[in-house]
Amino acid sequence: MVMKILAIDYGEKWIGLALSDEGHKWAFPYKILENGKDLLKNLAEIIKNEDIYKIVIGLPLNKKMQNTAQTEEVRKWAEELIKKVAIPTPSGRGPDRSVGVDFENEIFTTRMVRGGKDDHSHAAALTLESYLARHSKML
């Protein structure tokens, strides 16, 4: 079974999603979810239905590559995601809550595509493109 990578652009109101192709070469804007009470349930469904084995979460650092208040908010949310949503391992042998989530610097991605809520999925795609380029030999 070939599995894909899901990228997440976390926002206070909207969550942008992007998917890799099965060969982990390309990133595509996928969907926008509202950041609300059903978010983790909706993400769990997407992870299952799209054969996701890894999640890449955009990490908002400042221009000096340092954490900000928003960085800490994203990390806290990621911890909740890891605790509550089982992410399959690449081997497909079942959920392993200790693997499957990485962070990628998302500096400037939202500004590069700014224009509306749909741009969150495009920002997620840019984050995923960066991740795939840096990790292509390891995927």
Side-chain angles (χ1 to χ4, degrees), residues 23-43:
H24 308 134
K25 303 281 185 224
W26 304 100
F28 303 96
Y30 176 65
K31 195 176 270 196
I32 306 294
L33 299 177
E34 188 167 2
N35 190 351
K37 67 180 179 99
D38 292 330
L39 176 61
L40 294 178
K41 181 184 91 170
N42 293 336
L43 283 171

Side-chain angles (χ1 to χ4, degrees), residues 40 44 47 53 55 78-90 93-102:
L40 294 178
I47 289 165
Y53 83 93
I55 296 175
E79 288 175 17
E80 183 180 354
L81 174 71
I82 291 166
K83 287 178 190 171
K84 295 184 178 179
V85 177
I87 302 162
T89 61
R93 287 181 273 174
D96 181 340
R97 295 175 190 271
S98 66
V99 300
V101 174
D102 276 337

